[in-house]
């Protein structure tokens, strides 16, 4: 569904008007709209939306007990965030005896609020429209437990950025930053990346290359294509295509790269795939669906891919607040139905049947024998939906998961709700596959364990995750164990198990955004 964009003040007035209309029998005058400060009305609106559209609305107390205005503080966003956190902690998962959105901190696991109306996430270098405005670098601090020495490596590089133009790749080790030895303190590194418009780096090239080089970077805007791919060397009859997708951006941003990748896979006779989603926190559902249709065989066309299930109030037309929200078209104007009737979000179909999506083969890639996903604890939402949708058809392809940890565990999604100058993304639907499997709140466990090998670039067949994925494809086994992998760090050979990594900065977008509209 499209993001809902409506000011809190308008919501409160509309909700009050619909609830307090004149009774023709008693001729009681309509009360005045609710009063309060702008923040108080926004806090009321957040509660009213949650009470009718939140996935776990049934656990919320009544208005007076909850007292949304009690969350008012000196800062609007922090006040709304405090209220959203409380909303998210009522419904308990019986399997864990903790709230579904429990994190152990004061932030919900799934729901969040951001300024404006753009789905950018909590803090990402590139938004879901593919626009970046930075150096284009993600870093990681690597500690060698055998020596207690710490190093800084490049975890990823955004295509189109200054870092990419300078020839920096994942796996490069940073030696100096702005002429001084690089700090191994995460806060210092974050401050350096955020401050100033220029930065000079001396780097050691990623293995297996040797030598050092200097890169002078300029912070600036760029458009990012999140697709990295290559056809890997054949192993007998096995021809494997490798695809790394950084995020499920808007389909218009991702489709050209995906189409080119799968055209090349088809031309090369690829019959196995490795899909690298280790840093992919999700994004637009329509983009996930397009990728799944590129992977799936033509024989799955017409079969269920996944289903979205909204709460009972939405499914049974018992969410009156939706009638106050105009349904806008791409031109920003309210859409009309038959007879010129103005449409609202009450005209949207929230039934499971109306939100069941089926495979429709895209591209010319033939039958795939194995699909191996490389994951981490950052793999979330639409990424997990990709795995879940394909694993429902084991007779069509074998799906395996390689990674350093279970995936994030986010089988829920949302459509954005505009409240004044903020957009709220609260859990509003859950997704299941063709077998009605979907409660992976604890994440998907890996089939084959692998360290996140930040010393090598994506697509390097010696990178630990890809090495193990190929070992399964070519031999049916997981390949070497973590402990027997020797890595060279700063000229010293050590076991992979001796290395620990600390990501620098927050993760990018984490979520599953539904923008499509199905009318009743």
């Amino acid at each position: 569904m499209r993001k809902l964009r409506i000011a809190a003040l308008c919501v409160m007035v509309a909700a009050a008007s619909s609830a307090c209309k004149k009774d023709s029998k008693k001729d009681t005058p309509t009360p005045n709209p609710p009063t309060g400060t702008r923040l108080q009305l926004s806090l009321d609106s957040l509660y009213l939306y949650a009470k009718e559209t939140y996935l776990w609305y049934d656990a919320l107390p009544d208005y007076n007990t909850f007292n949304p205005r009690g969350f008012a503080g000196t800062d609007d966003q922090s006040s709304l965030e405090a209220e959203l956190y409380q909303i998210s902690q009522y419904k308990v998962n019986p399997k864990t005896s903790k709230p579904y959105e429990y994190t152990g901190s004061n932030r919900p696991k799934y729901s969040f609020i951001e300024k404006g109306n753009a789905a950018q996430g909590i803090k990402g270098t590139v938004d879901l429209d593919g626009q970046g405005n930075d150096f284009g670098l993600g870093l990681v601090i690597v500690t060698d437990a055998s020596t207690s020495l710490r190093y800084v490596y490049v975890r990823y590089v955004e295509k189109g950025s200054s870092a990419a133009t300078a020839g920096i790749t994942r796996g490069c080790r940073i030696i100096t930053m702005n002429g001084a030895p690089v700090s191994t303190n995460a806060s210092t590194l974050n401050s350096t990346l955020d401050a100033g418009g220029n930065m000079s780096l001396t780097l050691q090239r990623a293995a297996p290359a040797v030598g050092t080089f200097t890169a002078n970077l300029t912070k600036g805007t760029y458009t990012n294509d999140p697709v990295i791919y290559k056809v890997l060397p054949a192993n007998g009859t096995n021809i494997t295509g490798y695809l790394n997708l950084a995020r499920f951006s808007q389909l218009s941003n991702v489709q050209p790269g995906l189409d080119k990748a799968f055209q090349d896979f088809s031309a090369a006779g690829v019959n196995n795939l490795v899909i690298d989603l280790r840093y992919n926190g999700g994004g637009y559902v329509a983009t996930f669906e397009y990728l799944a249709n590129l992977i799936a065989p033509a024989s799955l066309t017409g079969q269920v891919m996944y289903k979205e299930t909204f709460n009972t109030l939405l499914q049974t037309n018992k969410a009156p607040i939706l009638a106050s929200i105009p349904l806008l078209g791409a031109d920003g104007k309210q859409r009309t139905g038959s007879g010129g009737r103005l449409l609202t979000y009450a005209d949207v179909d929230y039934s499971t049947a109306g939100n069941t999506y089926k495979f429709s083969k895209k591209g010319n890639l033939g039958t795939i024998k194995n699909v191996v996903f490389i994951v981490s604890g950052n793999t979330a939402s639409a990424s997990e939906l990709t795995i879940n949708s394909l694993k429902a058809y084991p007779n069509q392809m074998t799906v395996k998961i390689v990674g350093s940890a279970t995936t994030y565990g986010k089988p829920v999604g949302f459509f954005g709700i505009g409240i004044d100058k903020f957009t709220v993304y609260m859990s509003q639907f859950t997704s299941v596959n063709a077998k009605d499997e979907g409660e992976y709140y604890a994440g998907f466990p890996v089939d084959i364990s692998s360290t996140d090998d930040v010393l090598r670039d994506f697509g390097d067949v010696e990178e630990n995750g890809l090495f193990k994925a190929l070992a399964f494809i070519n031999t049916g086994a997981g390949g070497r164990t973590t402990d027997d992998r020797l890595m060279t760090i700063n000229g010293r050979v050590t076991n992979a198990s001796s290395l620990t990594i600390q990501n620098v900065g927050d993760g990018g977008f984490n979520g599953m955004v539904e923008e499509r509209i199905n009318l009743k």
Side-chain angles (χ1 to χ4, degrees):
M1 261 143 277
R2 282 194 176 279
K3 301 181 203 117
L4 312 182
R5 295 185 175 92
I6 184 165
L9 185 61
C10 296
V11 173
M12 287 302 301
V13 172
S17 298
S18 64
C20 305
K21 289 181 180 179
K22 180 189 290 185
D23 186 323
S24 59
K25 293 181 179 179
K26 297 182 179 180
D27 200 29
T28 304
T30 303
N32 291 324
T35 59
T37 66
R38 189 168 183 166
L39 175 57
Q40 287 174 332
L41 293 174
S42 293
L43 292 167
D44 283 350
S45 292
L46 178 56
Y47 170 81
L48 289 174
Y49 273 125
K51 193 64 176 171
E52 296 185 13
T53 72
Y54 187 51
L55 183 61
W56 299 294
Y57 76 96
D58 57 330
L60 300 181
D62 62 74
Y63 177 90
N64 290 328
T65 302
F66 184 78
N67 186 23
R69 297 190 180 195
F71 293 92
T74 57
D75 178 78
D76 289 1
Q77 183 167 351
S78 61
S79 298
L80 287 165
E81 287 174 339
E83 180 185 13
L84 181 62
Y85 171 72
Q86 188 59 48
I87 287 170
S88 73
Q89 298 304 294
Y90 282 100
K91 190 70 169 183
V92 173
N93 184 344
K95 294 182 179 179
T96 63
S97 298
K98 294 180 180 179
Y100 281 95
E101 296 214 46
Y102 175 81
T103 60
S105 66
N106 60 352
R107 194 170 81 181
K109 183 173 182 179
Y110 308 131
S111 305
F112 64 93
I113 295 173
E114 64 180 12
K115 293 181 179 179
N117 282 310
Q120 296 177 341
I122 297 167
K123 182 183 178 184
T125 59
V126 180
D127 65 22
L128 288 184
D129 291 325
Q131 303 304 308
N133 185 11
D134 50 27
F135 296 115
L137 278 176
L139 305 181
V140 63
I141 299 169
V142 178
T143 302
D144 185 348
S146 63
T147 63
S148 297
L149 294 175
R150 291 156 63 87
Y151 308 92
V152 178
Y153 278 80
V154 176
R155 186 163 56 108
Y156 64 82
V157 176
E158 300 286 5
K159 290 170 65 176
S161 68
S162 179
T165 302
I168 300 175
T169 66
R170 168 183 164 89
C172 288
R173 182 172 69 87
I174 298 179
I175 302 170
T176 67
M177 185 175 283
N178 294 328
V182 65
S183 171
T184 56
N185 178 275
S187 296
T188 302
L189 288 173
N190 271 322
S191 297
T192 304
L193 290 175
D194 291 340
N198 298 287
M199 182 169 62
S200 177
L201 301 175
T202 302
L203 306 100
Q204 180 181 351
R205 299 187 186 279
V210 296
T212 61
F213 67 105
T214 299
N216 296 308
L217 308 183
T218 301
K219 185 180 295 183
T221 59
Y222 57 92
T223 299
N224 171 269
D225 166 14
V227 178
I228 299 172
Y229 77 94
K230 66 191 321 183
V231 177
L232 303 176
N235 185 292
T237 60
N238 287 324
I239 304 175
T240 301
Y242 170 83
L243 176 78
N244 181 293
L245 188 62
R247 62 190 64 84
F248 286 92
S249 300
Q250 288 273 16
L251 184 56
S252 58
N253 173 245
V254 185
Q255 185 174 341
L258 288 178
D259 285 343
K260 181 64 168 61
F262 279 82
Q263 286 168 7
D264 289 355
F265 290 164
S266 178
V270 163
N271 51 18
N272 297 276
L273 287 173
V274 177
I275 310 294
D276 195 337
L277 302 175
R278 75 184 80 189
Y279 301 148
N280 190 319
Y284 287 100
V285 177
T287 304
F288 131 74
E289 190 175 310
Y290 192 82
L291 173 62
N293 279 321
L294 286 168
I295 297 171
S299 58
L300 281 184
T301 294
Q303 299 298 308
V304 171
M305 181 187 293
Y306 67 103
K307 309 170 192 176
E308 293 174 350
T309 302
F310 292 84
N311 74 34
T312 302
L313 293 181
L314 292 174
Q315 292 190 61
T316 56
N317 303 316
K318 294 180 181 178
I321 199 170
L322 296 174
S324 67
I325 307 172
L327 184 59
L328 306 181
D331 58 0
K333 297 180 181 179
Q334 189 167 2
R335 292 176 55 177
T336 58
S338 59
R341 183 176 65 87
L342 295 176
L343 299 179
T344 70
Y345 272 84
D347 294 296
V348 174
D349 185 355
Y350 297 99
S351 69
T352 300
N355 291 277
T356 295
Y357 297 88
K358 298 181 179 181
F359 284 99
S360 178
K361 176 63 179 174
K362 305 294 183 187
N364 298 315
L365 185 64
T367 301
I368 296 298
K369 295 186 293 184
N370 299 287
V371 182
V372 182
F373 290 94
I374 301 178
V375 306
S376 72
N378 297 314
T379 304
S381 205
S383 290
E384 294 171 306
L385 185 55
T386 308
I387 298 169
N388 197 45
S389 296
L390 294 175
K391 69 191 289 287
Y393 294 96
N395 59 321
Q396 297 286 341
M397 67 191 78
T398 299
V399 175
K400 291 291 182 181
I401 303 175
V402 171
S404 56
T406 59
T407 60
Y408 186 78
K410 189 170 187 176
V412 301
F414 38 60
F415 50 88
I417 296 176
I419 294 181
D420 199 11
K421 56 182 178 290
F422 303 100
T423 301
V424 178
Y425 297 93
M426 67 174 75
S427 303
Q428 285 155 322
F429 63 85
T430 184
S431 296
V432 298
N433 63 19
K435 292 184 176 181
D436 291 326
E437 300 166 336
E439 292 203 359
Y440 43 89
Y441 291 102
F444 285 115
V446 300
D447 298 302
I448 302 169
S449 179
S450 169
T451 56
D452 186 8
D453 188 352
V454 295
L455 276 63
R456 291 180 179 268
D457 198 5
F458 295 126
D460 184 336
V461 295
E462 285 297 317
E463 187 276 320
N464 213 30
L466 182 53
F467 182 95
K468 292 195 171 186
L470 290 172
F472 169 77
I473 289 171
N474 295 324
T475 69
R480 61 194 171 209
T481 65
T482 300
D483 291 338
D484 67 15
R485 171 71 196 278
L486 296 179
M487 307 171 86
T488 301
I489 183 166
N490 195 28
R492 182 179 180 277
V493 176
T494 188
N495 287 319
S497 59
S498 297
L499 305 181
T500 59
I501 64 175
Q502 176 189 0
N503 295 338
V504 175
D506 291 331
F509 181 86
N510 182 304
M512 184 159 52
V513 183
E514 180 61 279
E515 284 200 316
R516 295 161 300 175
I517 296 173
N518 300 314
L519 296 179
K520 295 175 182 175

